[in-house]
PDB file of all heavy atoms in Angstrom:
ATOM      1  N   ASP A1165      -3.171   8.442   5.957  1.00 98.00           N
ATOM      2  CA  ASP A1165      -4.145   7.790   6.833  1.00 98.00           C
ATOM      3  C   ASP A1165      -4.934   6.720   6.101  1.00 98.00           C
ATOM      4  O   ASP A1165      -5.450   5.779   6.721  1.00 98.00           O
ATOM      5  CB  ASP A1165      -5.099   8.818   7.448  1.00 98.00           C
ATOM      6  CG  ASP A1165      -4.396   9.804   8.380  1.00 98.00           C
ATOM      7  OD1 ASP A1165      -3.422   9.395   9.002  1.00 98.00           O
ATOM      8  OD2 ASP A1165      -4.839  10.942   8.437  1.00 98.00           O
ATOM      9  N   TRP A1166      -5.030   6.881   4.778  1.00 98.00           N
ATOM     10  CA  TRP A1166      -5.857   5.950   4.032  1.00 98.00           C
ATOM     11  C   TRP A1166      -5.285   5.803   2.601  1.00 98.00           C
ATOM     12  O   TRP A1166      -5.655   6.520   1.664  1.00 98.00           O
ATOM     13  CB  TRP A1166      -7.312   6.417   3.917  1.00 98.00           C
ATOM     14  CG  TRP A1166      -8.231   5.319   3.470  1.00 98.00           C
ATOM     15  CD1 TRP A1166      -8.403   4.876   2.188  1.00 98.00           C
ATOM     16  CD2 TRP A1166      -9.096   4.530   4.268  1.00 98.00           C
ATOM     17  NE1 TRP A1166      -9.325   3.835   2.141  1.00 98.00           N
ATOM     18  CE2 TRP A1166      -9.777   3.607   3.436  1.00 98.00           C
ATOM     19  CE3 TRP A1166      -9.350   4.501   5.661  1.00 98.00           C
ATOM     20  CZ2 TRP A1166     -10.680   2.728   3.900  1.00 98.00           C
ATOM     21  CZ3 TRP A1166     -10.271   3.589   6.116  1.00 98.00           C
ATOM     22  CH2 TRP A1166     -10.949   2.702   5.272  1.00 98.00           C
ATOM     23  N   PRO A1167      -4.290   4.931   2.405  1.00 98.00           N
ATOM     24  CA  PRO A1167      -3.720   4.753   1.070  1.00 98.00           C
ATOM     25  C   PRO A1167      -4.748   4.226   0.060  1.00 98.00           C
ATOM     26  O   PRO A1167      -5.637   3.446   0.446  1.00 98.00           O
ATOM     27  CB  PRO A1167      -2.625   3.698   1.328  1.00 98.00           C
ATOM     28  CG  PRO A1167      -2.362   3.733   2.766  1.00 98.00           C
ATOM     29  CD  PRO A1167      -3.664   4.107   3.434  1.00 98.00           C
ATOM     30  N   VAL A1168      -4.606   4.677  -1.154  1.00 98.00           N
ATOM     31  CA  VAL A1168      -5.430   4.161  -2.275  1.00 98.00           C
ATOM     32  C   VAL A1168      -4.467   3.506  -3.252  1.00 98.00           C
ATOM     33  O   VAL A1168      -3.571   4.181  -3.820  1.00 98.00           O
ATOM     34  CB  VAL A1168      -6.252   5.254  -2.939  1.00 98.00           C
ATOM     35  CG1 VAL A1168      -7.040   4.680  -4.114  1.00 98.00           C
ATOM     36  CG2 VAL A1168      -7.183   5.895  -1.905  1.00 98.00           C
ATOM     37  N   VAL A1169      -4.624   2.217  -3.480  1.00 98.00           N
ATOM     38  CA  VAL A1169      -3.615   1.400  -4.185  1.00 98.00           C
ATOM     39  C   VAL A1169      -4.275   0.724  -5.384  1.00 98.00           C
ATOM     40  O   VAL A1169      -5.424   0.245  -5.307  1.00 98.00           O
ATOM     41  CB  VAL A1169      -3.021   0.379  -3.233  1.00 98.00           C
ATOM     42  CG1 VAL A1169      -2.239  -0.661  -3.973  1.00 98.00           C
ATOM     43  CG2 VAL A1169      -2.146   1.075  -2.170  1.00 98.00           C
ATOM     44  N   TYR A1170      -3.536   0.658  -6.482  1.00 98.00           N
ATOM     45  CA  TYR A1170      -3.925  -0.124  -7.660  1.00 98.00           C
ATOM     46  C   TYR A1170      -2.906  -1.235  -7.841  1.00 98.00           C
ATOM     47  O   TYR A1170      -1.717  -0.999  -7.931  1.00 98.00           O
ATOM     48  CB  TYR A1170      -3.950   0.804  -8.847  1.00 98.00           C
ATOM     49  CG  TYR A1170      -4.064   0.110 -10.205  1.00 98.00           C
ATOM     50  CD1 TYR A1170      -5.021  -0.884 -10.401  1.00 98.00           C
ATOM     51  CD2 TYR A1170      -3.240   0.454 -11.259  1.00 98.00           C
ATOM     52  CE1 TYR A1170      -5.136  -1.518 -11.666  1.00 98.00           C
ATOM     53  CE2 TYR A1170      -3.358  -0.161 -12.510  1.00 98.00           C
ATOM     54  CZ  TYR A1170      -4.298  -1.121 -12.721  1.00 98.00           C
ATOM     55  OH  TYR A1170      -4.420  -1.753 -13.909  1.00 98.00           O
ATOM     56  N   MET A1171      -3.402  -2.476  -7.856  1.00 98.00           N
ATOM     57  CA  MET A1171      -2.507  -3.631  -8.034  1.00 98.00           C
ATOM     58  C   MET A1171      -2.143  -3.720  -9.488  1.00 98.00           C
ATOM     59  O   MET A1171      -2.998  -3.925 -10.365  1.00 98.00           O
ATOM     60  CB  MET A1171      -3.205  -4.915  -7.577  1.00 98.00           C
ATOM     61  CG  MET A1171      -3.677  -4.916  -6.123  1.00 98.00           C
ATOM     62  SD  MET A1171      -2.440  -4.370  -4.924  1.00 98.00           S
ATOM     63  CE  MET A1171      -1.055  -5.478  -5.317  1.00 98.00           C
ATOM     64  N   SER A1172      -0.835  -3.534  -9.777  1.00 96.00           N
ATOM     65  CA  SER A1172      -0.393  -3.425 -11.166  1.00 96.00           C
ATOM     66  C   SER A1172       0.993  -3.992 -11.336  1.00 96.00           C
ATOM     67  O   SER A1172       1.887  -3.750 -10.495  1.00 96.00           O
ATOM     68  CB  SER A1172      -0.369  -1.947 -11.566  1.00 96.00           C
ATOM     69  OG  SER A1172       0.353  -1.744 -12.749  1.00 96.00           O
ATOM     70  N   PRO A1173       1.277  -4.796 -12.384  1.00 94.00           N
ATOM     71  CA  PRO A1173       2.590  -5.323 -12.620  1.00 94.00           C
ATOM     72  C   PRO A1173       3.662  -4.296 -12.897  1.00 94.00           C
ATOM     73  O   PRO A1173       4.836  -4.563 -12.803  1.00 94.00           O
ATOM     74  CB  PRO A1173       2.407  -6.297 -13.813  1.00 94.00           C
ATOM     75  CG  PRO A1173       1.167  -5.796 -14.476  1.00 94.00           C
ATOM     76  CD  PRO A1173       0.302  -5.259 -13.416  1.00 94.00           C
ATOM     77  N   ARG A1174       3.241  -3.071 -13.179  1.00 95.00           N
ATOM     78  CA  ARG A1174       4.209  -1.999 -13.422  1.00 95.00           C
ATOM     79  C   ARG A1174       4.435  -1.163 -12.168  1.00 95.00           C
ATOM     80  O   ARG A1174       5.162  -0.168 -12.177  1.00 95.00           O
ATOM     81  CB  ARG A1174       3.786  -1.116 -14.617  1.00 95.00           C
ATOM     82  CG  ARG A1174       2.619  -0.181 -14.221  1.00 95.00           C
ATOM     83  CD  ARG A1174       2.246   0.754 -15.336  1.00 95.00           C
ATOM     84  NE  ARG A1174       1.362   1.787 -14.876  1.00 95.00           N
ATOM     85  CZ  ARG A1174       0.846   2.725 -15.627  1.00 95.00           C
ATOM     86  NH1 ARG A1174       1.121   2.742 -16.929  1.00 95.00           N
ATOM     87  NH2 ARG A1174       0.058   3.639 -15.132  1.00 95.00           N
ATOM     88  N   GLY A1175       3.763  -1.543 -11.070  1.00 96.00           N
ATOM     89  CA  GLY A1175       3.881  -0.792  -9.832  1.00 96.00           C
ATOM     90  C   GLY A1175       5.176  -1.005  -9.075  1.00 96.00           C
ATOM     91  O   GLY A1175       6.011  -1.864  -9.445  1.00 96.00           O
ATOM     92  N   LYS A1176       5.359  -0.231  -8.014  1.00 97.00           N
ATOM     93  CA  LYS A1176       6.515  -0.388  -7.126  1.00 97.00           C
ATOM     94  C   LYS A1176       6.400  -1.728  -6.403  1.00 97.00           C
ATOM     95  O   LYS A1176       5.305  -2.095  -5.924  1.00 97.00           O
ATOM     96  CB  LYS A1176       6.528   0.759  -6.140  1.00 97.00           C
ATOM     97  CG  LYS A1176       7.658   0.727  -5.137  1.00 97.00           C
ATOM     98  CD  LYS A1176       7.650   1.977  -4.278  1.00 97.00           C
ATOM     99  CE  LYS A1176       6.451   1.990  -3.326  1.00 97.00           C
ATOM    100  NZ  LYS A1176       6.561   0.961  -2.261  1.00 97.00           N
ATOM    101  N   PRO A1177       7.504  -2.473  -6.306  1.00 97.00           N
ATOM    102  CA  PRO A1177       7.452  -3.785  -5.614  1.00 97.00           C
ATOM    103  C   PRO A1177       6.975  -3.646  -4.188  1.00 97.00           C
ATOM    104  O   PRO A1177       7.432  -2.757  -3.413  1.00 97.00           O
ATOM    105  CB  PRO A1177       8.890  -4.284  -5.655  1.00 97.00           C
ATOM    106  CG  PRO A1177       9.477  -3.593  -6.863  1.00 97.00           C
ATOM    107  CD  PRO A1177       8.824  -2.248  -6.898  1.00 97.00           C
ATOM    108  N   PHE A1178       6.017  -4.474  -3.811  1.00 98.00           N
ATOM    109  CA  PHE A1178       5.449  -4.462  -2.455  1.00 98.00           C
ATOM    110  C   PHE A1178       6.467  -5.050  -1.488  1.00 98.00           C
ATOM    111  O   PHE A1178       7.064  -6.111  -1.750  1.00 98.00           O
ATOM    112  CB  PHE A1178       4.181  -5.304  -2.441  1.00 98.00           C
ATOM    113  CG  PHE A1178       3.525  -5.426  -1.096  1.00 98.00           C
ATOM    114  CD1 PHE A1178       3.054  -4.328  -0.431  1.00 98.00           C
ATOM    115  CD2 PHE A1178       3.395  -6.672  -0.477  1.00 98.00           C
ATOM    116  CE1 PHE A1178       2.438  -4.424   0.805  1.00 98.00           C
ATOM    117  CE2 PHE A1178       2.787  -6.793   0.750  1.00 98.00           C
ATOM    118  CZ  PHE A1178       2.279  -5.655   1.408  1.00 98.00           C
ATOM    119  N   THR A1179       6.727  -4.367  -0.366  1.00 96.00           N
ATOM    120  CA  THR A1179       7.725  -4.845   0.594  1.00 96.00           C
ATOM    121  C   THR A1179       7.126  -4.900   2.017  1.00 96.00           C
ATOM    122  O   THR A1179       5.966  -4.400   2.242  1.00 96.00           O
ATOM    123  CB  THR A1179       8.899  -3.862   0.651  1.00 96.00           C
ATOM    124  OG1 THR A1179       8.428  -2.572   1.152  1.00 96.00           O
ATOM    125  CG2 THR A1179       9.528  -3.659  -0.731  1.00 96.00           C
ATOM    126  N   GLN A1180       7.871  -5.446   2.939  1.00 96.00           N
ATOM    127  CA  GLN A1180       7.436  -5.476   4.321  1.00 96.00           C
ATOM    128  C   GLN A1180       7.265  -4.068   4.880  1.00 96.00           C
ATOM    129  O   GLN A1180       6.395  -3.831   5.691  1.00 96.00           O
ATOM    130  CB  GLN A1180       8.424  -6.270   5.158  1.00 96.00           C
ATOM    131  CG  GLN A1180       7.976  -6.587   6.579  1.00 96.00           C
ATOM    132  CD  GLN A1180       6.855  -7.576   6.645  1.00 96.00           C
ATOM    133  OE1 GLN A1180       6.552  -8.264   5.624  1.00 96.00           O
ATOM    134  NE2 GLN A1180       6.217  -7.713   7.793  1.00 96.00           N
ATOM    135  N   ALA A1181       8.098  -3.132   4.424  1.00 95.00           N
ATOM    136  CA  ALA A1181       7.954  -1.747   4.853  1.00 95.00           C
ATOM    137  C   ALA A1181       6.604  -1.186   4.399  1.00 95.00           C
ATOM    138  O   ALA A1181       5.978  -0.400   5.140  1.00 95.00           O
ATOM    139  CB  ALA A1181       9.095  -0.906   4.286  1.00 95.00           C
ATOM    140  N   ASP A1182       6.135  -1.549   3.212  1.00 98.00           N
ATOM    141  CA  ASP A1182       4.844  -1.112   2.760  1.00 98.00           C
ATOM    142  C   ASP A1182       3.743  -1.698   3.623  1.00 98.00           C
ATOM    143  O   ASP A1182       2.777  -1.030   3.972  1.00 98.00           O
ATOM    144  CB  ASP A1182       4.600  -1.528   1.262  1.00 98.00           C
ATOM    145  CG  ASP A1182       5.501  -0.785   0.306  1.00 98.00           C
ATOM    146  OD1 ASP A1182       5.688   0.450   0.497  1.00 98.00           O
ATOM    147  OD2 ASP A1182       6.011  -1.420  -0.603  1.00 98.00           O
ATOM    148  N   ALA A1183       3.885  -2.998   3.980  1.00 98.00           N
ATOM    149  CA  ALA A1183       2.894  -3.623   4.843  1.00 98.00           C
ATOM    150  C   ALA A1183       2.809  -2.891   6.158  1.00 98.00           C
ATOM    151  O   ALA A1183       1.701  -2.643   6.714  1.00 98.00           O
ATOM    152  CB  ALA A1183       3.233  -5.078   5.034  1.00 98.00           C
ATOM    153  N   ARG A1184       3.966  -2.520   6.742  1.00 97.00           N
ATOM    154  CA  ARG A1184       3.939  -1.766   8.002  1.00 97.00           C
ATOM    155  C   ARG A1184       3.308  -0.416   7.847  1.00 97.00           C
ATOM    156  O   ARG A1184       2.539   0.043   8.704  1.00 97.00           O
ATOM    157  CB  ARG A1184       5.368  -1.622   8.521  1.00 97.00           C
ATOM    158  CG  ARG A1184       5.969  -2.902   9.093  1.00 97.00           C
ATOM    159  CD  ARG A1184       7.241  -2.621   9.882  1.00 97.00           C
ATOM    160  NE  ARG A1184       8.325  -2.185   9.040  1.00 97.00           N
ATOM    161  CZ  ARG A1184       9.255  -2.977   8.496  1.00 97.00           C
ATOM    162  NH1 ARG A1184       9.159  -4.288   8.732  1.00 97.00           N
ATOM    163  NH2 ARG A1184      10.195  -2.504   7.718  1.00 97.00           N
ATOM    164  N   ARG A1185       3.589   0.232   6.688  1.00 98.00           N
ATOM    165  CA  ARG A1185       2.966   1.552   6.453  1.00 98.00           C
ATOM    166  C   ARG A1185       1.458   1.469   6.320  1.00 98.00           C
ATOM    167  O   ARG A1185       0.706   2.283   6.889  1.00 98.00           O
ATOM    168  CB  ARG A1185       3.615   2.115   5.152  1.00 98.00           C
ATOM    169  CG  ARG A1185       3.023   3.439   4.687  1.00 98.00           C
ATOM    170  CD  ARG A1185       3.891   4.101   3.653  1.00 98.00           C
ATOM    171  NE  ARG A1185       4.120   3.234   2.491  1.00 98.00           N
ATOM    172  CZ  ARG A1185       3.358   3.273   1.392  1.00 98.00           C
ATOM    173  NH1 ARG A1185       2.318   4.119   1.325  1.00 98.00           N
ATOM    174  NH2 ARG A1185       3.625   2.518   0.367  1.00 98.00           N
ATOM    175  N   PHE A1186       1.017   0.456   5.558  1.00 98.00           N
ATOM    176  CA  PHE A1186      -0.423   0.258   5.408  1.00 98.00           C
ATOM    177  C   PHE A1186      -1.109  -0.091   6.754  1.00 98.00           C
ATOM    178  O   PHE A1186      -2.221   0.357   7.033  1.00 98.00           O
ATOM    179  CB  PHE A1186      -0.719  -0.799   4.384  1.00 98.00           C
ATOM    180  CG  PHE A1186      -0.273  -0.464   2.969  1.00 98.00           C
ATOM    181  CD1 PHE A1186       0.041  -1.471   2.070  1.00 98.00           C
ATOM    182  CD2 PHE A1186      -0.126   0.814   2.558  1.00 98.00           C
ATOM    183  CE1 PHE A1186       0.451  -1.215   0.766  1.00 98.00           C
ATOM    184  CE2 PHE A1186       0.323   1.139   1.281  1.00 98.00           C
ATOM    185  CZ  PHE A1186       0.619   0.117   0.366  1.00 98.00           C
ATOM    186  N   ALA A1187      -0.408  -0.926   7.535  1.00 98.00           N
ATOM    187  CA  ALA A1187      -0.984  -1.355   8.845  1.00 98.00           C
ATOM    188  C   ALA A1187      -1.114  -0.197   9.782  1.00 98.00           C
ATOM    189  O   ALA A1187      -1.948  -0.184  10.691  1.00 98.00           O
ATOM    190  CB  ALA A1187      -0.125  -2.461   9.404  1.00 98.00           C
ATOM    191  N   ALA A1188      -0.232   0.803   9.638  1.00 98.00           N
ATOM    192  CA  ALA A1188      -0.233   1.980  10.536  1.00 98.00           C
ATOM    193  C   ALA A1188      -1.369   2.974  10.175  1.00 98.00           C
ATOM    194  O   ALA A1188      -1.700   3.852  10.947  1.00 98.00           O
ATOM    195  CB  ALA A1188       1.072   2.694  10.511  1.00 98.00           C
ATOM    196  N   ALA A1189      -1.952   2.812   8.968  1.00 98.00           N
ATOM    197  CA  ALA A1189      -3.049   3.655   8.537  1.00 98.00           C
ATOM    198  C   ALA A1189      -4.355   3.192   9.152  1.00 98.00           C
ATOM    199  O   ALA A1189      -4.401   2.186   9.888  1.00 98.00           O
ATOM    200  CB  ALA A1189      -3.163   3.653   7.006  1.00 98.00           C
ATOM    201  N   GLN A1190      -5.465   3.926   8.893  1.00 98.00           N
ATOM    202  CA  GLN A1190      -6.752   3.552   9.408  1.00 98.00           C
ATOM    203  C   GLN A1190      -7.409   2.489   8.533  1.00 98.00           C
ATOM    204  O   GLN A1190      -8.361   1.781   8.971  1.00 98.00           O
ATOM    205  CB  GLN A1190      -7.650   4.774   9.497  1.00 98.00           C
ATOM    206  CG  GLN A1190      -7.159   5.831  10.490  1.00 98.00           C
ATOM    207  CD  GLN A1190      -8.051   7.039  10.489  1.00 98.00           C
ATOM    208  OE1 GLN A1190      -9.299   6.963  10.373  1.00 98.00           O
ATOM    209  NE2 GLN A1190      -7.468   8.229  10.656  1.00 98.00           N
ATOM    210  N   GLY A1191      -6.891   2.336   7.330  1.00 98.00           N
ATOM    211  CA  GLY A1191      -7.429   1.374   6.383  1.00 98.00           C
ATOM    212  C   GLY A1191      -6.894   1.702   5.056  1.00 98.00           C
ATOM    213  O   GLY A1191      -5.987   2.560   4.895  1.00 98.00           O
ATOM    214  N   MET A1192      -7.379   1.046   4.005  1.00 98.00           N
ATOM    215  CA  MET A1192      -6.908   1.342   2.648  1.00 98.00           C
ATOM    216  C   MET A1192      -7.941   0.886   1.635  1.00 98.00           C
ATOM    217  O   MET A1192      -8.791   0.052   1.891  1.00 98.00           O
ATOM    218  CB  MET A1192      -5.572   0.630   2.401  1.00 98.00           C
ATOM    219  CG  MET A1192      -5.615  -0.889   2.360  1.00 98.00           C
ATOM    220  SD  MET A1192      -3.971  -1.654   2.226  1.00 98.00           S
ATOM    221  CE  MET A1192      -3.374  -0.965   0.672  1.00 98.00           C
ATOM    222  N   THR A1193      -7.833   1.493   0.459  1.00 98.00           N
ATOM    223  CA  THR A1193      -8.645   1.097  -0.694  1.00 98.00           C
ATOM    224  C   THR A1193      -7.756   0.469  -1.728  1.00 98.00           C
ATOM    225  O   THR A1193      -6.673   0.991  -2.024  1.00 98.00           O
ATOM    226  CB  THR A1193      -9.379   2.311  -1.314  1.00 98.00           C
ATOM    227  OG1 THR A1193     -10.303   2.829  -0.366  1.00 98.00           O
ATOM    228  CG2 THR A1193     -10.113   1.912  -2.582  1.00 98.00           C
TER     229      THR A1193
END
């Protein structure tokens, strides 16, 4: 419901599927 994300060059590549997942949540940190 509320992803907590750290922007990191070693992280998992951000995709359109992630954007849809985040948009379906109530918000994010």
Side-chain angles (χ1 to χ4, degrees):
D1165 294 329
W1166 196 283
V1168 178
V1169 168
Y1170 168 48
M1171 303 311 305
S1172 165
R1174 74 175 192 183
K1176 178 176 69 70
F1178 178 63
T1179 67
Q1180 189 70 13
D1182 291 320
R1184 287 193 292 266
R1185 175 166 59 92
F1186 296 155
Q1190 296 178 36
M1192 67 186 301
T1193 295

